[in-house]
Amino acid sequence: MPRSGIPGIVIRRLPLYLRCLTLLAERGEDVVSSGELGAYVGVSPALVRKDLSYFGEFGKQGLGYKVAFLRDSLMGILQTDRDWPVILVGAGPLGHALMHYEPFQRWRYQIVAVFDRDPAKISQPIDDLTVQPMEDMALVIEKRRIMVAILAVPAPHAQNVAEELVACGIRAILNYAPAHLVLPSHVRAAYIAPVISLQGMTYYL
Amino acid sequence: MPRSGIPGIVIRRLPLYLRCLTLLAERGEDVVSSGELGAYVGVSPALVRKDLSYFGEFGKQGLGYKVAFLRDSLMGILQTDRDWPVILVGAGPLGHALMHYEPFQRWRYQIVAVFDRDPAKISQPIDDLTVQPMEDMALVIEKRRIMVAILAVPAPHAQNVAEELVACGIRAILNYAPAHLVLPSHVRAAYIAPVISLQGMTYYL
DNA sequence: GCGTGTGAAACAATTCACAGCG
DNA sequence: CGCTGTGAATTGTTTCACACGC
């Protein structure tokens, strides 16, 4: 159930453009061409233009794109111009590291609650939060209108926990567990899989 | 300079099949069909068969694939049947977390040295390693024949450090820094980008 | 002239559909 | 009969090439 007819692969490139534009804006750049933007992101100029053209006409012929304007436009499209409260499930070593991962804050993804199934972890403090039992999840998600969850539980639990999250109304899951999730089509998943990435490279060595 | 004419996208799915097969083997499963394997990984049965057919004929008609045999075959193809010593560059909070990330060990990627540019971090111990200055990199990479590096430095330094790594002979970089790397074609890069992944999902919410 | 926006063309990836074998 | 392996068909993605406006 895509929000629109725009290919997912185009959507997934938008954040890369946005990251570059944010950098250029910090550097005080005023305009950027599709060629420069593409070089930074690793795609062709034509693809940059095609991608952006799905959402409107942002550029000026002969000039290029106004950095600040395009950045703000992409932030609007991607909805990165607002806070996203997220919950973290899994308070193991990985969960702890994610609590302190600054880029989430920087991009307005705020971890507002941490859950774990292990009784030994429950009630333990992490920063200014306290690990809560999974039973509290439904209430927190509903009360705080959470749509995004970060999953950092052991692989064997990932599918079960994901289903609980879906039942609670979660719409997007960033999954650090080494397991594929089978989810209803209205729920999005993205995977962080360092080992898979390494294995995809060692083939060539 | 791809090692072969096999599409990169096929190579990047192989580790997903391998992960599933490893799980099935642990469960004591003897055979698996392309349909089951595909369901687990999130692709169609036809695609599983097509992917595997690039590398040989692993299945038996009417039966499916022998789990252990296919697992071992994929481990050979991906070269996950041997140790891969890797170096970590960047001893910040993220670097520390990666030192303790068990799946690397599990899949025989061993972090054998840690480097940082910050004098305050150099000589500090992490587990049984000691943070070394970047100047030591070339020697360690050569002596221990390292081909793979994990990059966990701030974004502004990522390109520079990557170039140093390439100059030292590194052939594959797992990049945690939020920056695209421009590298010679004989060097592979893979990106871990949680914020990019989140932004690619919030579009749909 | 330079760089965007965009149909048309080229290329790449996936699915179809079925022959062939256990 | 079930399931693989695989050419052919289909679908999806990227590049080309050029009209248009600054």
Side-chain angles (χ1 to χ4, degrees):
Chain A
M1 194 198 291
R3 195 182 96 180
S4 63
I6 298 163
I9 195 160
V10 172
I11 304 299
R12 287 191 296 275
R13 273 192 299 263
L14 260 29
L16 300 174
Y17 301 140
L18 175 55
R19 185 170 74 183
C20 172
L21 289 160
T22 303
L23 179 69
L24 293 172
E26 280 168 5
R27 280 195 199 152
E29 301 287 339
D30 190 39
V31 293
V32 64
S33 68
S34 59
E36 296 167 304
L37 203 41
Y40 198 92
V41 165
V43 304
S44 73
L47 189 52
V48 173
R49 298 201 298 276
K50 209 15 144 232
D51 283 349
L52 297 176
S53 76
Y54 280 103
F55 303 93
E57 308 198 356
F58 300 103
K60 299 222 189 304
Q61 284 110 328
L63 266 172
Y65 301 89
K66 284 277 185 179
V67 170
F69 174 68
L70 184 54
R71 177 200 58 193
D72 294 346
S73 300
L74 290 184
M75 287 179 71
I77 292 165
L78 292 170
Q79 300 191 260
T80 63
D81 52 0
R82 63 138 160 134
D83 289 330
W84 286 97
V86 310
I87 58 163
L88 171 63
V89 189
L94 179 56
H96 274 79
L98 294 173
M99 284 290 299
H100 298 108
Y101 187 62
E102 285 162 19
F104 287 149
Q105 279 292 330
R106 159 72 246 266
W107 287 97
R108 306 181 67 173
Y109 297 96
Q110 284 117 359
I111 297 175
V112 299
V114 192
F115 300 93
D116 204 295
R117 185 158 277 161
D118 179 359
K121 298 211 182 81
I122 292 164
S123 301
Q124 298 238 316
I126 307 184
D127 292 354
D128 49 352
L129 297 179
T130 303
V131 179
Q132 294 178 261
M134 305 280 275
E135 291 71 31
D136 293 5
M137 247 167 34
L139 200 66
V140 172
I141 289 169
E142 196 198 352
K143 277 231 171 138
R144 307 201 57 163
R145 294 190 159 58
I146 312 281
M147 291 199 267
V148 180
I150 299 174
L151 193 51
V153 301
H157 299 317
Q159 179 66 37
N160 278 338
V161 173
E163 283 170 20
E164 283 186 63
L165 288 167
V166 170
C168 295
I170 287 292
R171 304 268 306 282
I173 299 174
L174 183 64
N175 180 28
Y176 281 83
H180 175 74
L181 302 177
V182 179
L183 300 170
S185 60
H186 71 281
V187 181
R188 305 254 144 205
Y191 298 84
I192 304 293
V195 168
I196 298 285
S197 297
L198 282 171
Q199 291 175 340
M201 293 194 290
T202 46
Y203 167 80
Y204 295 97
L205 301 184
Chain B
M1 193 196 293
R3 197 183 93 181
S4 63
I6 297 163
I9 194 160
V10 172
I11 305 298
R12 287 191 297 277
R13 272 193 299 264
L14 261 27
L16 300 173
Y17 301 140
L18 175 55
R19 184 169 75 184
C20 173
L21 290 161
T22 303
L23 179 69
L24 292 173
E26 280 168 6
R27 281 194 198 153
E29 300 285 340
D30 189 40
V31 292
V32 64
S33 69
S34 60
E36 296 167 305
L37 202 42
Y40 198 91
V41 164
V43 304
S44 72
L47 190 52
V48 173
R49 298 200 298 274
K50 189 65 109 211
D51 284 349
L52 296 178
S53 77
Y54 280 102
F55 303 93
E57 308 199 355
F58 301 101
K60 301 223 188 305
Q61 285 110 327
L63 264 173
Y65 301 89
K66 284 276 183 180
V67 169
F69 174 68
L70 184 54
R71 178 201 58 194
D72 294 344
S73 302
L74 290 184
M75 287 178 70
I77 292 165
L78 291 169
Q79 300 191 259
T80 64
D81 52 0
R82 64 149 169 122
D83 290 329
W84 286 97
V86 309
I87 58 162
L88 170 64
V89 188
L94 179 56
H96 275 78
L98 293 173
M99 284 289 298
H100 299 108
Y101 187 62
E102 284 163 19
F104 287 148
Q105 280 291 332
R106 160 72 246 269
W107 287 98
R108 308 180 66 174
Y109 297 97
Q110 284 117 357
I111 297 176
V112 299
V114 192
F115 300 92
D116 203 295
R117 184 158 275 160
D118 180 0
K121 297 211 182 83
I122 292 165
S123 300
Q124 300 239 315
I126 308 184
D127 291 354
D128 48 352
L129 297 179
T130 302
V131 179
Q132 294 177 260
M134 305 280 273
E135 290 71 31
D136 293 6
M137 247 168 33
L139 200 66
V140 173
I141 289 169
E142 197 199 350
K143 277 231 171 143
R144 307 202 54 164
R145 294 192 156 58
I146 311 280
M147 291 199 265
V148 180
I150 300 174
L151 193 50
V153 302
H157 300 317
Q159 179 65 40
N160 277 339
V161 173
E163 285 170 17
E164 285 185 61
L165 288 168
V166 171
C168 296
I170 287 292
R171 302 268 306 281
I173 298 175
L174 183 63
N175 179 28
Y176 280 83
H180 175 75
L181 301 177
V182 179
L183 299 171
S185 61
H186 71 280
V187 182
R188 305 257 144 204
Y191 298 85
I192 303 293
V195 168
I196 299 286
S197 297
L198 282 171
Q199 291 174 339
M201 294 194 290
T202 47
Y203 167 81
Y204 296 98
L205 300 184

